[in-house]
Amino acid sequence: SQQGEEDPQALSIQEGENATMNCSYKTSINNLQWYRQNSGRGLVHLILIRSNEREKHSGRLRVTLDTSKKSSSLLITASRAADTASYFCASNSNSGYALNFGKGTSLLVTP
Amino acid sequence: DGGITQSPKYLFRKEGQNVTLSCEQNLNHDAMYWYRQDPGQGLRLIYYSQIVNDFQKGDIAEGYSVSREKKESFPLTVTSAQKNPTAFYLCASKGTSNYNEQFFGPGTRLTVL
């Protein structure tokens, strides 16, 4: 099965800085989604980008998708301590019924 | 409130015992999923169900079993055949479109003593 891979595995920044996380996947997709997980909790959906879209915004989040490189990036602008969490990309193939999750990026935002 | 719930939050099991994790949703979603998460790792799919009375194996189904007798419920049984069951288990549900997001429960942390 295809697997997304996030990069970097861990990221530490200060409040107010921007955080960029990257994700790569292996096969053709229908859409790609980003999720957030606070420690010991379930995942929360952040944003979905379709395969025919190149960029999408939601509040302080900006997601890009490059299907030719099979990669996506998540940018969190003006980060806050409350953004501290793990972030996962998940790809949904054209024929699949389930998402394929990467291993995640652990983000630490210090005050 | 609409949502997806899992119980219990923490579960301890002795080796050789079967244990069942509960997952309930009132979102009227047809699809439900079980994932396993190990420390510092992503989610791995155990089983999924697209409709009542039907379910499919995921990537790591060995040692697990499920049932889908009701739309709202998708319990997971961790059997004694699962050699390394200590993990964080997450249940999710989703609407029918491929563009729907998955909604996750709060998770159950299973520890085998």
Side-chain angles (χ1 to χ4, degrees):
Chain A
S1 62
Q2 66 185 54
Q3 271 288 330
E5 293 290 337
E6 288 89 346
D7 171 55
Q9 290 187 340
L11 181 61
S12 181
I13 60 175
Q14 290 189 317
E15 272 191 323
E17 293 181 336
N18 295 341
T20 299
M21 289 160 267
N22 302 298
C23 166
S24 61
Y25 57 91
K26 295 180 180 177
T27 62
S28 296
I29 61 169
N30 174 280
N31 64 79
L32 188 137
Q33 304 178 27
W34 285 90
Y35 288 80
R36 165 193 168 129
Q37 183 182 34
N38 287 77
S39 181
R41 309 289 292 274
L43 277 70
V44 175
H45 182 263
L46 294 176
I47 194 166
L48 179 153
I49 187 165
R50 300 187 180 202
S51 59
N52 61 353
E53 297 177 313
R54 292 297 168 257
E55 187 171 311
K56 200 163 184 179
H57 296 256
S58 176
R60 293 184 295 113
L61 304 180
R62 171 178 171 255
V63 168
T64 62
L65 179 65
D66 187 335
T67 53
S68 67
K69 295 181 180 179
K70 292 185 170 59
S71 67
S72 173
S73 68
L74 171 67
L75 169 66
I76 304 175
T77 60
S79 64
R80 307 166 182 168
D83 293 329
T84 294
S86 292
Y87 292 82
F88 295 88
C89 71
S91 55
N92 189 353
S93 69
N94 290 320
S95 58
Y97 297 101
L99 295 173
N100 291 292
F101 285 85
K103 294 184 178 180
T105 292
S106 178
L107 174 65
L108 174 64
V109 182
T110 54
Chain B
D1 288 337
I4 180 166
T5 59
Q6 292 183 242
S7 62
K9 186 173 177 63
Y10 298 98
L11 188 57
F12 297 90
R13 187 194 94 176
K14 292 182 179 179
E15 280 192 23
Q17 288 182 337
N18 293 353
V19 63
T20 298
L21 282 59
S22 170
C23 178
E24 304 277 335
Q25 55 98 1
N26 61 3
L27 301 167
N28 200 33
H29 286 164
D30 285 312
M32 296 188 73
Y33 306 83
W34 274 106
Y35 296 93
R36 170 183 171 136
Q37 186 178 32
D38 293 284
Q41 300 295 313
L43 278 65
R44 292 186 289 169
L45 183 65
I46 305 172
Y47 268 98
Y48 65 99
S49 169
Q50 295 178 73
I51 198 167
V52 173
N53 292 323
D54 183 64
F55 49 83
Q56 306 295 327
K57 291 182 179 180
D59 299 321
I60 56 166
E62 185 175 352
Y64 300 97
S65 66
V66 294
S67 63
R68 188 84 188 275
E69 297 177 1
K70 299 187 300 181
K71 188 175 187 177
E72 302 80 14
S73 179
F74 191 40
L76 173 74
T77 296
V78 185
T79 75
S80 58
Q82 169 50 237
K83 298 305 179 188
N84 186 21
T86 294
F88 189 50
Y89 291 87
L90 287 159
C91 180
S93 69
K94 187 179 82 66
T96 53
S97 167
N98 277 344
Y99 299 108
N100 290 144
E101 67 193 80
Q102 289 192 10
F103 289 81
F104 282 82
T108 291
R109 187 166 300 279
L110 172 64
T111 302
V112 175
L113 304 174

